Amino acid sequence: METKRNLKYFTSKGISPITLIGLALMVVGLVLCFSHSTRLFGVLGLVAGLGVMIFAGGGKASGDDIEYQVGEKMKDMRERGMIRFELFEKSLKFLEPMTFRGYQFDENVYYKKGSDGKNRTSEFNAVMLFFTADKMHIHQRHFSFIDDMIDEELGGTFRYVDLDHAEVRDPMFERDLGKRVVKFRDYHFVIVGKDGSDVLDVSVEYGADVDKACDDINRIIDIRSKAFIEKMERVEAERKARKEAEAAAAAAKN
């Protein structure tokens, strides 16, 4: 990951002086192109200005560069998760694996609103959930665009019977940028345990698909928890009946 170029993306403010020089050269070159006697100088000015602008942009990542790096980090999430939890495709028949992704918004990260209008930060979370008969497996990757040392795999395995529900929260993210304060909703995908603690809490790119995912997850938590409890009740009933039968047989012998 090109951390130095990424850092410049998050820390640069406005248009750099070198970019302004390139723009000026291109404007002058364009004006000179309208006169036959100065057309050659105009073309040279356009070429020089374009070269300066390319040079100015070459040292800094773009929003598209950041998005590309996200895709590269996420492309093997399913494979890595299945290896981590020793899963097979036939184990995932209860619900298709789900992916959640989003920039992490807190006081410890760099923030930047890209020229495309998208809010980005210097750290990112990618999560994939795997659903088997009795358990939910959470494979999370948290990484930084500006520090190669921050690249970790988090999550774990949780029984449905120990989970309560999934939900979306929308706290406000606020950042003082000096001349102005940025505020917007920071949507979080959260899984809550039966004890009330958050098993998972990550910022996500919000859409209707996140709400649907919560509905699907809540449904499988409910269905598989009931199935697990009924199974345990059957096992306990069979154990109790077996002990009673053994006791009756022993009494008959005496």
Side-chain angles (χ1 to χ4, degrees):
M1 189 172 287
E2 299 181 36
T3 54
K4 291 183 179 180
R5 295 184 70 240
N6 293 342
L7 180 61
K8 289 182 180 179
Y9 170 80
F10 288 106
T11 57
S12 64
K13 298 180 180 179
I15 301 176
S16 70
I18 297 178
T19 300
L20 290 175
I21 293 172
L23 284 171
L25 285 172
M26 292 186 71
V27 170
V28 172
L30 183 62
V31 172
L32 293 177
C33 282
F34 285 103
S35 173
H36 180 73
S37 59
T38 58
R39 187 167 298 164
L40 177 60
F41 296 102
V43 172
L44 292 175
L46 286 171
V47 172
L50 180 61
V52 170
M53 291 187 67
I54 292 174
F55 173 79
K60 180 181 73 172
S62 66
D64 287 340
D65 292 331
I66 299 296
E67 295 297 323
Y68 174 79
Q69 292 170 62
V70 169
E72 286 297 295
K73 287 284 188 180
M74 290 185 64
K75 67 181 181 181
D76 60 350
M77 284 282 291
R78 184 178 181 120
E79 179 183 355
R80 291 172 70 93
M82 293 186 70
I83 293 173
R84 176 183 179 183
F85 299 117
E86 299 181 347
L87 301 175
F88 301 93
E89 289 294 337
K90 64 181 180 181
S91 306
L92 308 177
K93 62 182 179 180
F94 296 92
L95 191 64
E96 275 296 304
M98 295 182 182
T99 303
F100 300 89
R101 48 175 282 169
Y103 294 90
Q104 178 167 310
F105 294 94
D106 58 42
E107 67 278 3
N108 300 315
V109 297
Y110 287 100
Y111 163 79
K112 173 91 172 190
K113 186 169 185 177
S115 57
D116 56 0
K118 187 168 186 177
N119 296 303
R120 298 184 176 89
T121 68
S122 55
E123 295 188 17
F124 197 90
N125 284 297
V127 179
M128 179 162 276
L129 305 183
F130 300 91
F131 306 90
T132 55
D134 300 320
K135 299 173 183 176
M136 176 190 297
H137 307 270
I138 301 176
H139 177 57
Q140 178 184 356
R141 192 165 187 186
H142 171 237
F143 58 89
S144 168
F145 297 100
I146 62 173
D147 186 351
D148 285 330
M149 297 297 290
I150 301 177
D151 190 349
E152 53 190 347
E153 292 186 349
L154 307 169
T157 297
F158 303 88
R159 300 187 307 169
Y160 295 119
V161 73
D162 295 326
L163 301 176
D164 190 73
H165 69 280
E167 65 181 25
V168 177
R169 298 175 187 165
D170 58 347
M172 290 295 297
F173 174 74
E174 183 174 320
R175 177 61 59 86
D176 186 350
L177 300 181
K179 295 182 179 180
R180 63 190 178 94
V181 176
V182 174
K183 293 183 179 180
F184 57 84
R185 290 289 177 188
D186 172 24
Y187 291 93
H188 284 233
F189 170 72
V190 182
I191 297 178
V192 183
K194 275 288 193 296
D195 60 358
S197 64
D198 293 340
V199 170
L200 177 68
D201 181 352
V202 291
S203 295
V204 293
E205 297 172 357
Y206 180 69
D209 57 326
V210 179
D211 288 327
K212 183 180 183 305
C214 286
D215 290 340
D216 291 340
I217 291 170
N218 290 335
R219 189 177 302 112
I220 195 171
I221 288 175
D222 182 53
I223 293 172
R224 299 311 302 170
S225 292
K226 288 180 180 177
F228 178 81
I229 292 171
E230 290 171 357
K231 178 182 177 181
M232 292 298 99
E233 289 175 345
R234 288 196 303 271
V235 170
E236 178 60 21
E238 291 171 359
R239 186 191 68 81
K240 185 176 180 180
R242 188 166 53 251
K243 288 191 71 173
E244 290 175 350
E246 291 173 353
K253 287 182 180 180
N254 296 329

